[in-house]
Amino acid sequence: MGLTKYMYITVNRPAVDNWVRLHHGETEKVRHASELQHDLAREALLHLGLTDNIEISALADIPAGTGLGSSSCYLVGLLKALRDLLRVPVSTEELAEEACHIELDVLKKPIGNRTNIWRPLVG
């Protein structure tokens, strides 16, 4: 039995300035992506070479820290949204590997296994 819960992520390139704006439980506004406190967003942006002039908003039915894979879902959704913004297509397998690399190799997150990454991709 699966959960019917959703996460919505929007990305935008503001025309008025070059700030990085991130809206999740809190709001961050920085000059360069490397200054973001939110580690998943920071590493996703840096991984794709997006360092400024970006706004990201996220809204989810399940909050972070519940153990239900919401952080992995956020990362997969963010990477997909950013790639769509850049018009750089990615296969499901590539997206999963990219998310695994960031969460397991770069951030050393103790997510257990790669199942959390596949869950948002296949339902």
Side-chain angles (χ1 to χ4, degrees):
M1 181 171 157
L3 293 174
T4 306
K5 300 297 178 193
Y6 298 93
M7 180 173 293
Y8 303 92
I9 298 175
T10 60
V11 294
N12 180 43
R13 291 283 207 161
V16 295
D17 58 40
N18 286 325
W19 288 93
V20 175
R21 289 181 181 84
L22 177 63
H23 310 283
H24 50 100
E26 304 171 15
T27 298
E28 294 186 57
K29 181 179 171 184
V30 296
R31 291 273 181 202
H32 193 274
S34 64
E35 300 170 36
L36 287 171
Q37 294 298 308
H38 192 283
D39 55 355
L40 295 172
R42 179 185 64 239
E43 296 305 327
L45 289 168
L46 295 176
H47 178 74
L48 295 174
L50 294 165
T51 58
D52 60 11
N53 186 239
I54 189 87
E55 183 169 22
I56 301 166
S57 296
L59 180 64
D61 291 340
I62 299 175
T66 60
L68 296 174
S70 58
S71 64
S72 295
C73 182
Y74 173 83
L75 181 57
V76 168
L78 179 57
L79 287 168
K80 177 70 170 116
L82 292 171
R83 285 188 164 276
D84 287 349
L85 179 73
L86 295 170
R87 295 193 171 125
V88 177
V90 63
S91 72
T92 302
E93 292 81 15
E94 291 170 319
L95 189 59
E97 286 302 317
E98 202 169 51
C100 283
H101 169 71
I102 291 171
E103 206 160 7
L104 296 171
D105 301 333
V106 175
L107 294 172
K108 309 287 189 220
K109 294 263 186 186
I111 63 168
N113 60 42
R114 295 173 182 246
T115 304
N116 285 345
I117 299 297
W118 282 101
R119 193 173 294 139
L121 293 169
V122 297

